[in-house]
Amino acid sequence: MQAFLYFDLTSDSAFHKPVVEQVRQSLSTVSILDLDAHSDELLQHYALRLLRESEKAVVCIKADESPTELGSLMPLLEELFEEGKQRLVLLQGQPPRLQHIFAARPHVVFKVVEEAQVVEEVRRFLEV
């Protein structure tokens, strides 16, 4: 199974997420889940399970410069930090705190991308 997880941590999180729709339309065989900073524990549990059970996964985190509470995201970040997994983290926006977190872990593959680049990066990594 291949997965795409999208986390919108921006302060102005919208219900409609164009990137998620584009991935869904372009890559119909990929399991997709999107969350935001206010997602409940059950949804976060599903995200963690999807991440653990997928052979390959792309996690796109949209964040802005404002300080974001990462407490609810920590179990997922810890899963991303595990070595030996086929995962790609895409950082969308200018999240300096997240850039530092991922840069400190050289075994985690991450890229800073613009919204228009997300679908192509997902397609390239998952080779769909």
Side-chain angles (χ1 to χ4, degrees):
M1 170 177 47
Q2 297 179 329
F4 174 74
L5 287 86
Y6 183 81
F7 300 101
D8 188 344
L9 303 178
T10 58
S11 54
D12 60 344
S13 177
F15 180 75
H16 178 71
K17 299 179 176 59
V19 170
V20 175
E21 290 305 315
Q22 291 168 2
V23 171
R24 189 171 278 128
Q25 290 173 0
S26 300
L27 307 165
S28 60
T29 60
V30 175
S31 298
I32 298 172
L33 185 62
D34 71 285
L35 300 96
D36 59 32
H38 306 291
S39 294
D40 64 16
E41 284 185 39
L42 183 60
L43 196 54
Q44 293 174 21
H45 171 76
Y46 284 134
L48 189 56
R49 185 172 173 189
L50 182 61
L51 192 57
R52 286 179 177 157
E53 292 179 1
S54 61
E55 297 168 14
K56 281 182 149 181
V58 176
V59 177
C60 182
I61 303 172
K62 181 179 180 181
D64 48 28
E65 293 179 14
S66 64
T68 303
E69 176 56 45
L70 297 176
S72 63
L73 192 61
M74 284 314 293
L76 296 161
L77 290 176
E78 289 172 6
E79 182 67 24
L80 287 174
F81 299 154
E82 288 197 15
E83 294 187 44
K85 306 281 184 160
Q86 292 191 46
R87 298 188 179 134
L88 170 65
V89 177
L90 302 175
L91 298 177
Q92 187 182 349
Q94 295 297 322
R97 185 172 170 198
L98 288 171
Q99 288 178 2
H100 292 303
I101 288 171
F102 287 111
R105 291 159 177 87
H107 63 279
V108 177
V109 180
F110 81 98
K111 294 182 179 182
V112 178
V113 297
E114 298 295 322
E115 185 172 321
Q117 299 172 293
V118 173
V119 175
E120 185 55 38
E121 291 294 336
V122 173
R123 182 178 284 122
R124 185 177 299 130
F125 184 76
L126 299 179
E127 299 174 2
V128 178

